[in-house]
Tab-separated table of all heavy atoms in Angstrom:
chain	number	residue	atom	x	y	z
A	12	MET	N	16.251	119.375	102.678
A	12	MET	CA	17.574	119.805	103.096
A	12	MET	C	17.669	121.330	103.139
A	12	MET	O	18.395	121.873	103.953
A	12	MET	CB	18.604	119.210	102.133
A	12	MET	CG	19.989	119.282	102.634
A	12	MET	SD	20.140	118.241	104.085
A	12	MET	CE	21.865	118.217	104.275
A	13	LYS	N	16.901	122.013	102.241
A	13	LYS	CA	16.912	123.469	102.245
A	13	LYS	C	16.393	124.022	103.564
A	13	LYS	O	16.911	124.998	104.081
A	13	LYS	CB	16.048	124.022	101.106
A	13	LYS	CG	16.687	123.972	99.756
A	13	LYS	CD	15.943	124.807	98.745
A	13	LYS	CE	14.470	124.532	98.716
A	13	LYS	NZ	13.769	125.201	97.628
A	14	HIS	N	15.352	123.379	104.089
A	14	HIS	CA	14.751	123.875	105.325
A	14	HIS	C	15.696	123.695	106.511
A	14	HIS	O	15.731	124.542	107.406
A	14	HIS	CB	13.414	123.181	105.587
A	14	HIS	CG	12.369	123.560	104.596
A	14	HIS	ND1	11.770	124.794	104.604
A	14	HIS	CD2	11.830	122.883	103.562
A	14	HIS	CE1	10.895	124.856	103.620
A	14	HIS	NE2	10.916	123.709	102.968
A	15	LEU	N	16.442	122.623	106.522
A	15	LEU	CA	17.413	122.401	107.590
A	15	LEU	C	18.503	123.470	107.547
A	15	LEU	O	18.911	123.998	108.586
A	15	LEU	CB	18.023	121.004	107.470
A	15	LEU	CG	19.023	120.609	108.547
A	15	LEU	CD1	18.338	120.571	109.909
A	15	LEU	CD2	19.618	119.255	108.234
A	16	PHE	N	18.953	123.812	106.355
A	16	PHE	CA	19.961	124.858	106.201
A	16	PHE	C	19.420	126.211	106.662
A	16	PHE	O	20.096	126.950	107.369
A	16	PHE	CB	20.419	124.945	104.739
A	16	PHE	CG	21.414	126.034	104.485
A	16	PHE	CD1	22.702	125.932	104.965
A	16	PHE	CD2	21.048	127.163	103.779
A	16	PHE	CE1	23.627	126.950	104.739
A	16	PHE	CE2	21.953	128.170	103.545
A	16	PHE	CZ	23.244	128.076	104.028
A	17	LYS	N	18.186	126.525	106.278
A	17	LYS	CA	17.584	127.795	106.682
A	17	LYS	C	17.409	127.867	108.193
A	17	LYS	O	17.642	128.910	108.804
A	17	LYS	CB	16.239	127.987	105.991
A	17	LYS	CG	16.378	128.290	104.530
A	17	LYS	CD	15.039	128.495	103.891
A	17	LYS	CE	15.221	128.757	102.414
A	17	LYS	NZ	13.950	128.976	101.745
A	18	ALA	N	16.997	126.769	108.802
A	18	ALA	CA	16.840	126.736	110.261
A	18	ALA	C	18.195	126.935	110.937
A	18	ALA	O	18.285	127.639	111.953
A	18	ALA	CB	16.213	125.419	110.694
A	19	GLY	N	19.238	126.348	110.391
A	19	GLY	CA	20.581	126.520	110.940
A	19	GLY	C	21.069	127.960	110.824
A	19	GLY	O	21.691	128.490	111.743
A	20	VAL	N	20.770	128.596	109.700
A	20	VAL	CA	21.172	129.990	109.504
A	20	VAL	C	20.453	130.901	110.494
A	20	VAL	O	21.068	131.778	111.111
A	20	VAL	CB	20.890	130.430	108.045
A	20	VAL	CG1	21.031	131.925	107.882
A	20	VAL	CG2	21.810	129.702	107.081
A	21	VAL	N	19.156	130.683	110.667
A	21	VAL	CA	18.390	131.499	111.612
A	21	VAL	C	18.894	131.285	113.029
A	21	VAL	O	19.084	132.241	113.796
A	21	VAL	CB	16.882	131.183	111.505
A	21	VAL	CG1	16.102	131.836	112.626
A	21	VAL	CG2	16.335	131.631	110.163
A	22	THR	N	19.147	130.039	113.401
A	22	THR	CA	19.638	129.732	114.742
A	22	THR	C	21.003	130.371	114.989
A	22	THR	O	21.242	130.947	116.057
A	22	THR	CB	19.728	128.211	114.936
A	22	THR	OG1	18.441	127.642	114.695
A	22	THR	CG2	20.191	127.856	116.326
A	23	ALA	N	21.890	130.282	114.017
A	23	ALA	CA	23.220	130.887	114.165
A	23	ALA	C	23.111	132.406	114.285
A	23	ALA	O	23.818	133.020	115.093
A	23	ALA	CB	24.104	130.510	112.986
A	24	GLY	N	22.228	132.999	113.509
A	24	GLY	CA	22.038	134.452	113.577
A	24	GLY	C	21.528	134.897	114.931
A	24	GLY	O	22.023	135.869	115.513
A	25	ILE	N	20.541	134.185	115.460
A	25	ILE	CA	20.001	134.512	116.776
A	25	ILE	C	21.066	134.314	117.850
A	25	ILE	O	21.195	135.119	118.780
A	25	ILE	CB	18.752	133.660	117.075
A	25	ILE	CG1	17.615	134.015	116.115
A	25	ILE	CG2	18.301	133.811	118.517
A	25	ILE	CD1	17.050	135.390	116.296
A	26	LEU	N	21.869	133.260	117.733
A	26	LEU	CA	22.934	132.996	118.703
A	26	LEU	C	23.966	134.118	118.708
A	26	LEU	O	24.394	134.582	119.773
A	26	LEU	CB	23.598	131.660	118.387
A	26	LEU	CG	24.746	131.229	119.287
A	26	LEU	CD1	24.229	130.995	120.698
A	26	LEU	CD2	25.393	129.979	118.753
A	27	ILE	N	24.350	134.585	117.534
A	27	ILE	CA	25.331	135.667	117.436
A	27	ILE	C	24.785	136.954	118.046
A	27	ILE	O	25.479	137.650	118.794
A	27	ILE	CB	25.756	135.868	115.967
A	27	ILE	CG1	26.579	134.671	115.503
A	27	ILE	CG2	26.527	137.174	115.788
A	27	ILE	CD1	26.815	134.624	114.016
A	28	VAL	N	23.524	137.267	117.748
A	28	VAL	CA	22.910	138.471	118.314
A	28	VAL	C	22.839	138.366	119.835
A	28	VAL	O	23.125	139.333	120.548
A	28	VAL	CB	21.511	138.706	117.692
A	28	VAL	CG1	20.749	139.781	118.439
A	28	VAL	CG2	21.638	139.062	116.226
A	29	ASN	N	22.457	137.191	120.355
A	29	ASN	CA	22.398	137.004	121.808
A	29	ASN	C	23.765	137.163	122.460
A	29	ASN	O	23.874	137.736	123.546
A	29	ASN	CB	21.839	135.624	122.154
A	29	ASN	CG	20.345	135.611	122.167
A	29	ASN	OD1	19.710	136.638	122.311
A	29	ASN	ND2	19.775	134.427	122.016
A	30	MET	N	24.793	136.655	121.816
A	30	MET	CA	26.138	136.788	122.374
A	30	MET	C	26.563	138.252	122.421
A	30	MET	O	27.144	138.704	123.416
A	30	MET	CB	27.137	135.948	121.574
A	30	MET	CG	26.960	134.484	121.847
A	30	MET	SD	27.975	133.264	120.972
A	30	MET	CE	29.234	134.094	120.173
A	31	ILE	N	26.261	139.003	121.378
A	31	ILE	CA	26.603	140.426	121.352
A	31	ILE	C	25.856	141.175	122.445
A	31	ILE	O	26.438	141.996	123.169
A	31	ILE	CB	26.318	141.022	119.958
A	31	ILE	CG1	27.296	140.441	118.929
A	31	ILE	CG2	26.398	142.536	119.985
A	31	ILE	CD1	26.948	140.759	117.499
A	32	ILE	N	24.561	140.885	122.582
A	32	ILE	CA	23.755	141.537	123.628
A	32	ILE	C	24.314	141.212	125.008
A	32	ILE	O	24.447	142.096	125.860
A	32	ILE	CB	22.278	141.117	123.505
A	32	ILE	CG1	21.660	141.751	122.267
A	32	ILE	CG2	21.492	141.501	124.754
A	32	ILE	CD1	20.277	141.236	121.932
A	33	ASN	N	24.646	139.940	125.253
A	33	ASN	CA	25.176	139.551	126.560
A	33	ASN	C	26.522	140.200	126.851
A	33	ASN	O	26.785	140.607	127.983
A	33	ASN	CB	25.296	138.032	126.667
A	33	ASN	CG	23.983	137.398	127.048
A	33	ASN	OD1	23.258	137.920	127.891
A	33	ASN	ND2	23.682	136.277	126.440
A	34	ILE	N	27.381	140.305	125.860
A	34	ILE	CA	28.686	140.944	126.059
A	34	ILE	C	28.509	142.408	126.428
A	34	ILE	O	29.136	142.915	127.366
A	34	ILE	CB	29.569	140.786	124.795
A	34	ILE	CG1	30.014	139.332	124.654
A	34	ILE	CG2	30.769	141.718	124.851
A	34	ILE	CD1	30.665	139.026	123.327
A	35	ILE	N	27.631	143.098	125.710
A	35	ILE	CA	27.401	144.523	125.986
A	35	ILE	C	26.831	144.717	127.390
A	35	ILE	O	27.293	145.560	128.148
A	35	ILE	CB	26.473	145.130	124.910
A	35	ILE	CG1	27.211	145.194	123.569
A	35	ILE	CG2	25.998	146.521	125.329
A	35	ILE	CD1	26.328	145.550	122.395
A	36	PHE	N	25.813	143.920	127.732
A	36	PHE	CA	25.186	144.087	129.045
A	36	PHE	C	26.123	143.676	130.182
A	36	PHE	O	26.135	144.317	131.231
A	36	PHE	CB	23.880	143.296	129.117
A	36	PHE	CG	22.712	144.045	128.543
A	36	PHE	CD1	22.518	144.118	127.177
A	36	PHE	CD2	21.807	144.676	129.380
A	36	PHE	CE1	21.444	144.805	126.641
A	36	PHE	CE2	20.727	145.366	128.857
A	36	PHE	CZ	20.543	145.442	127.479
A	37	ASN	N	26.900	142.608	129.989
A	37	ASN	CA	27.818	142.171	131.041
A	37	ASN	C	28.932	143.174	131.282
A	37	ASN	O	29.387	143.343	132.410
A	37	ASN	CB	28.402	140.797	130.715
A	37	ASN	CG	27.399	139.690	130.950
A	37	ASN	OD1	26.446	139.856	131.691
A	37	ASN	ND2	27.627	138.571	130.300
A	38	ARG	N	29.392	143.840	130.244
A	38	ARG	CA	30.421	144.872	130.423
A	38	ARG	C	29.894	146.045	131.227
A	38	ARG	O	30.654	146.724	131.905
A	38	ARG	CB	30.924	145.373	129.076
A	38	ARG	CG	31.881	144.422	128.426
A	38	ARG	CD	32.522	145.045	127.233
A	38	ARG	NE	33.483	144.114	126.662
A	38	ARG	CZ	34.232	144.399	125.636
A	38	ARG	NH1	34.119	145.563	125.037
A	38	ARG	NH2	35.086	143.518	125.170
A	39	ASN	N	28.584	146.285	131.120
A	39	ASN	CA	27.975	147.386	131.871
A	39	ASN	C	27.467	146.943	133.235
A	39	ASN	O	26.847	147.736	133.950
A	39	ASN	CB	26.827	148.002	131.066
A	39	ASN	CG	27.332	148.720	129.843
A	39	ASN	OD1	28.381	149.339	129.871
A	39	ASN	ND2	26.594	148.624	128.754
A	40	GLY	N	27.676	145.685	133.602
A	40	GLY	CA	27.310	145.201	134.914
A	40	GLY	C	25.851	144.815	135.067
A	40	GLY	O	25.357	144.695	136.177
A	41	ILE	N	25.156	144.621	133.968
A	41	ILE	CA	23.742	144.242	134.011
A	41	ILE	C	23.643	142.757	133.711
A	41	ILE	O	24.149	142.271	132.703
A	41	ILE	CB	22.929	145.047	132.983
A	41	ILE	CG1	23.057	146.542	133.267
A	41	ILE	CG2	21.475	144.623	133.004
A	41	ILE	CD1	22.490	147.420	132.177
A	42	ASP	N	22.970	142.029	134.596
A	42	ASP	CA	22.807	140.591	134.426
A	42	ASP	C	21.409	140.311	133.869
A	42	ASP	O	20.412	140.721	134.470
A	42	ASP	CB	22.995	139.885	135.769
A	42	ASP	CG	23.440	138.457	135.609
A	42	ASP	OD1	23.875	138.096	134.499
A	42	ASP	OD2	23.353	137.711	136.603
A	43	LEU	N	21.328	139.644	132.739
A	43	LEU	CA	20.043	139.367	132.100
A	43	LEU	C	19.451	138.063	132.618
A	43	LEU	O	20.170	137.126	132.958
A	43	LEU	CB	20.219	139.280	130.589
A	43	LEU	CG	20.717	140.550	129.897
A	43	LEU	CD1	20.967	140.271	128.423
A	43	LEU	CD2	19.719	141.663	130.053
A	44	ASN	N	18.120	137.987	132.650
A	44	ASN	CA	17.415	136.776	133.045
A	44	ASN	C	17.490	135.784	131.889
A	44	ASN	O	16.937	136.025	130.815
A	44	ASN	CB	15.964	137.118	133.388
A	44	ASN	CG	15.222	135.953	133.976
A	44	ASN	OD1	15.673	134.808	133.881
A	44	ASN	ND2	14.079	136.228	134.565
A	45	SER	N	18.157	134.665	132.097
A	45	SER	CA	18.397	133.727	131.002
A	45	SER	C	17.126	133.013	130.549
A	45	SER	O	17.002	132.689	129.366
A	45	SER	CB	19.453	132.709	131.405
A	45	SER	OG	19.010	131.976	132.520
A	46	ALA	N	16.180	132.768	131.459
A	46	ALA	CA	14.947	132.084	131.070
A	46	ALA	C	14.111	132.952	130.127
A	46	ALA	O	13.599	132.467	129.110
A	46	ALA	CB	14.131	131.721	132.308
A	47	ILE	N	13.995	134.208	130.442
A	47	ILE	CA	13.227	135.117	129.582
A	47	ILE	C	13.943	135.326	128.258
A	47	ILE	O	13.325	135.317	127.190
A	47	ILE	CB	12.988	136.455	130.303
A	47	ILE	CG1	12.067	136.239	131.496
A	47	ILE	CG2	12.414	137.493	129.360
A	47	ILE	CD1	11.904	137.454	132.368
A	48	GLN	N	15.247	135.491	128.301
A	48	GLN	CA	16.010	135.703	127.079
A	48	GLN	C	15.935	134.484	126.164
A	48	GLN	O	15.804	134.624	124.948
A	48	GLN	CB	17.462	136.030	127.407
A	48	GLN	CG	18.274	136.403	126.194
A	48	GLN	CD	19.709	136.715	126.535
A	48	GLN	OE1	20.158	136.475	127.642
A	48	GLN	NE2	20.428	137.245	125.574
A	49	ALA	N	15.991	133.297	126.730
A	49	ALA	CA	15.918	132.080	125.921
A	49	ALA	C	14.546	131.926	125.279
A	49	ALA	O	14.446	131.556	124.098
A	49	ALA	CB	16.227	130.867	126.788
A	50	SER	N	13.497	132.222	126.010
A	50	SER	CA	12.157	132.080	125.437
A	50	SER	C	11.909	133.113	124.343
A	50	SER	O	11.310	132.798	123.313
A	50	SER	CB	11.091	132.166	126.528
A	50	SER	OG	11.148	133.409	127.175
A	51	ILE	N	12.377	134.333	124.539
A	51	ILE	CA	12.227	135.361	123.504
A	51	ILE	C	13.047	135.001	122.273
A	51	ILE	O	12.598	135.171	121.135
A	51	ILE	CB	12.622	136.741	124.050
A	51	ILE	CG1	11.586	137.198	125.081
A	51	ILE	CG2	12.752	137.763	122.936
A	51	ILE	CD1	11.961	138.458	125.812
A	52	SER	N	14.240	134.479	122.474
A	52	SER	CA	15.094	134.088	121.348
A	52	SER	C	14.471	132.954	120.543
A	52	SER	O	14.483	132.973	119.310
A	52	SER	CB	16.464	133.652	121.848
A	52	SER	OG	17.111	134.713	122.473
A	53	ALA	N	13.921	131.965	121.232
A	53	ALA	CA	13.285	130.846	120.536
A	53	ALA	C	12.067	131.323	119.751
A	53	ALA	O	11.863	130.933	118.597
A	53	ALA	CB	12.884	129.773	121.536
A	54	TRP	N	11.264	132.181	120.373
A	54	TRP	CA	10.073	132.713	119.707
A	54	TRP	C	10.463	133.524	118.474
A	54	TRP	O	9.859	133.389	117.408
A	54	TRP	CB	9.308	133.572	120.719
A	54	TRP	CG	8.092	134.222	120.181
A	54	TRP	CD1	6.914	133.631	119.860
A	54	TRP	CD2	7.944	135.612	119.890
A	54	TRP	NE1	6.046	134.579	119.404
A	54	TRP	CE2	6.646	135.800	119.408
A	54	TRP	CE3	8.790	136.707	120.006
A	54	TRP	CZ2	6.164	137.044	119.031
A	54	TRP	CZ3	8.307	137.945	119.631
A	54	TRP	CH2	7.014	138.102	119.150
A	55	LEU	N	11.484	134.347	118.603
A	55	LEU	CA	11.953	135.166	117.494
A	55	LEU	C	12.520	134.304	116.360
A	55	LEU	O	12.276	134.582	115.180
A	55	LEU	CB	13.005	136.159	117.993
A	55	LEU	CG	13.491	137.202	117.010
A	55	LEU	CD1	12.342	138.084	116.567
A	55	LEU	CD2	14.570	138.040	117.648
A	56	ALA	N	13.260	133.259	116.701
A	56	ALA	CA	13.819	132.375	115.676
A	56	ALA	C	12.719	131.676	114.897
A	56	ALA	O	12.800	131.563	113.665
A	56	ALA	CB	14.738	131.346	116.322
A	57	VAL	N	11.684	131.235	115.580
A	57	VAL	CA	10.568	130.572	114.893
A	57	VAL	C	9.861	131.559	113.968
A	57	VAL	O	9.511	131.217	112.831
A	57	VAL	CB	9.589	129.961	115.919
A	57	VAL	CG1	8.303	129.519	115.252
A	57	VAL	CG2	10.234	128.789	116.635
A	58	LEU	N	9.640	132.789	114.435
A	58	LEU	CA	8.979	133.784	113.595
A	58	LEU	C	9.791	134.113	112.344
A	58	LEU	O	9.238	134.216	111.245
A	58	LEU	CB	8.727	135.063	114.388
A	58	LEU	CG	7.605	135.016	115.400
A	58	LEU	CD1	7.509	136.344	116.147
A	58	LEU	CD2	6.285	134.709	114.730
A	59	ILE	N	11.093	134.278	112.509
A	59	ILE	CA	11.950	134.577	111.354
A	59	ILE	C	11.937	133.416	110.365
A	59	ILE	O	11.812	133.618	109.155
A	59	ILE	CB	13.381	134.902	111.813
A	59	ILE	CG1	13.397	136.217	112.581
A	59	ILE	CG2	14.342	134.962	110.633
A	59	ILE	CD1	14.711	136.514	113.268
A	60	TYR	N	12.047	132.188	110.878
A	60	TYR	CA	12.039	131.015	110.003
A	60	TYR	C	10.708	130.890	109.263
A	60	TYR	O	10.670	130.640	108.060
A	60	TYR	CB	12.319	129.753	110.823
A	60	TYR	CG	12.193	128.484	110.020
A	60	TYR	CD1	13.183	128.123	109.127
A	60	TYR	CD2	11.069	127.675	110.123
A	60	TYR	CE1	13.076	126.974	108.372
A	60	TYR	CE2	10.946	126.535	109.363
A	60	TYR	CZ	11.945	126.182	108.495
A	60	TYR	OH	11.829	125.051	107.744
A	61	GLU	N	9.608	131.072	109.965
A	61	GLU	CA	8.286	130.982	109.332
A	61	GLU	C	8.116	132.043	108.251
A	61	GLU	O	7.580	131.774	107.180
A	61	GLU	CB	7.178	131.109	110.378
A	61	GLU	CG	7.030	129.900	111.255
A	61	GLU	CD	6.524	128.683	110.489
A	61	GLU	OE1	5.685	128.839	109.585
A	61	GLU	OE2	7.003	127.580	110.795
A	62	LYS	N	8.543	133.266	108.526
A	62	LYS	CA	8.435	134.341	107.538
A	62	LYS	C	9.281	134.030	106.312
A	62	LYS	O	8.847	134.245	105.178
A	62	LYS	CB	8.879	135.655	108.174
A	62	LYS	CG	8.883	136.820	107.261
A	62	LYS	CD	7.843	137.807	107.648
A	62	LYS	CE	7.964	139.038	106.784
A	62	LYS	NZ	6.810	139.248	105.991
A	63	TRP	N	10.485	133.505	106.524
A	63	TRP	CA	11.382	133.191	105.426
A	63	TRP	C	10.796	132.076	104.551
A	63	TRP	O	10.800	132.175	103.327
A	63	TRP	CB	12.730	132.776	105.988
A	63	TRP	CG	13.857	132.729	104.996
A	63	TRP	CD1	13.803	133.052	103.665
A	63	TRP	CD2	15.189	132.340	105.251
A	63	TRP	NE1	15.026	132.884	103.104
A	63	TRP	CE2	15.903	132.446	104.040
A	63	TRP	CE3	15.855	131.903	106.379
A	63	TRP	CZ2	17.244	132.135	103.947
A	63	TRP	CZ3	17.187	131.612	106.280
A	63	TRP	CH2	17.878	131.723	105.081
A	64	THR	N	10.289	131.026	105.165
A	64	THR	CA	9.748	129.916	104.376
A	64	THR	C	8.398	130.269	103.766
A	64	THR	O	8.066	129.785	102.691
A	64	THR	CB	9.622	128.638	105.214
A	64	THR	OG1	8.817	128.894	106.358
A	64	THR	CG2	10.983	128.122	105.629
A	65	ARG	N	7.608	131.108	104.431
A	65	ARG	CA	6.310	131.499	103.881
A	65	ARG	C	6.488	132.326	102.615
A	65	ARG	O	5.761	132.140	101.639
A	65	ARG	CB	5.495	132.292	104.895
A	65	ARG	CG	4.099	132.615	104.391
A	65	ARG	CD	3.275	133.412	105.374
A	65	ARG	NE	3.246	132.801	106.680
A	65	ARG	CZ	3.410	133.473	107.812
A	65	ARG	NH1	3.608	134.770	107.789
A	65	ARG	NH2	3.365	132.857	108.970
A	66	SER	N	7.444	133.246	102.611
A	66	SER	CA	7.678	134.063	101.421
A	66	SER	C	8.150	133.187	100.264
A	66	SER	O	7.809	133.442	99.111
A	66	SER	CB	8.690	135.168	101.720
A	66	SER	OG	9.962	134.632	102.000
A	67	GLU	N	8.905	132.146	100.561
A	67	GLU	CA	9.346	131.225	99.514
A	67	GLU	C	8.157	130.442	98.949
A	67	GLU	O	8.047	130.238	97.744
A	67	GLU	CB	10.383	130.269	100.075
A	67	GLU	CG	10.949	129.319	99.043
A	67	GLU	CD	11.965	128.383	99.651
A	67	GLU	OE1	13.126	128.794	99.804
A	67	GLU	OE2	11.576	127.246	99.973
A	68	LYS	N	7.253	130.005	99.817
A	68	LYS	CA	6.066	129.276	99.369
A	68	LYS	C	5.173	130.161	98.520
A	68	LYS	O	4.599	129.707	97.531
A	68	LYS	CB	5.277	128.745	100.562
A	68	LYS	CG	5.944	127.615	101.280
A	68	LYS	CD	5.130	127.183	102.488
A	68	LYS	CE	5.871	126.156	103.317
A	68	LYS	NZ	5.139	125.808	104.538
A	69	ASP	N	5.045	131.436	98.889
A	69	ASP	CA	4.241	132.376	98.113
A	69	ASP	C	4.827	132.582	96.726
A	69	ASP	O	4.104	132.660	95.735
A	69	ASP	CB	4.115	133.714	98.838
A	69	ASP	CG	3.284	133.621	100.103
A	69	ASP	OD1	2.528	132.625	100.248
A	69	ASP	OD2	3.392	134.532	100.940
A	70	GLN	N	6.152	132.672	96.630
A	70	GLN	CA	6.794	132.844	95.325
A	70	GLN	C	6.626	131.595	94.456
A	70	GLN	O	6.416	131.717	93.250
A	70	GLN	CB	8.278	133.143	95.516
A	70	GLN	CG	8.556	134.512	96.081
A	70	GLN	CD	10.023	134.713	96.383
A	70	GLN	OE1	10.836	133.814	96.249
A	70	GLN	NE2	10.379	135.915	96.820
A	71	ASP	N	6.680	130.416	95.059
A	71	ASP	CA	6.486	129.187	94.314
A	71	ASP	C	5.046	129.064	93.824
A	71	ASP	O	4.783	128.549	92.739
A	71	ASP	CB	6.849	127.966	95.148
A	71	ASP	CG	8.345	127.847	95.382
A	71	ASP	OD1	9.104	128.471	94.624
A	71	ASP	OD2	8.744	127.125	96.335
A	72	ALA	N	4.095	129.518	94.599
A	72	ALA	CA	2.690	129.448	94.231
A	72	ALA	C	2.361	130.385	93.084
A	72	ALA	O	1.478	130.109	92.276
A	72	ALA	CB	1.813	129.755	95.433
A	73	GLN	N	3.072	131.513	92.974
A	73	GLN	CA	2.826	132.463	91.908
A	73	GLN	C	3.349	131.993	90.565
A	73	GLN	O	2.881	132.431	89.533
A	73	GLN	CB	3.446	133.808	92.253
A	73	GLN	CG	2.752	134.532	93.379
A	73	GLN	CD	3.444	135.835	93.745
A	73	GLN	OE1	4.497	136.160	93.186
A	73	GLN	NE2	2.854	136.573	94.663
A	74	LYS	N	4.295	131.081	90.561
A	74	LYS	CA	4.890	130.609	89.308
A	74	LYS	C	4.003	129.674	88.572
A	74	LYS	O	3.153	129.081	88.660
A	74	LYS	CB	6.219	129.903	89.577
A	74	LYS	CG	7.283	130.870	89.961
A	74	LYS	CD	8.595	130.158	90.156
A	74	LYS	CE	9.652	131.149	90.586
A	74	LYS	NZ	10.922	130.519	90.827
């Protein structure tokens, strides 16, 4: 259940950042490519989640 919560937190964080980026760019009249943005966001979310869970596993192994 902890991992599901962490994945949800990472996903929500990435979603909020994407919304802020889109609002800023749309106000300036720049249209972003949604396919590239979605793939970068998914890749970034996986990396953040892996780093977060890996550091937890390392701390558990040291105990």
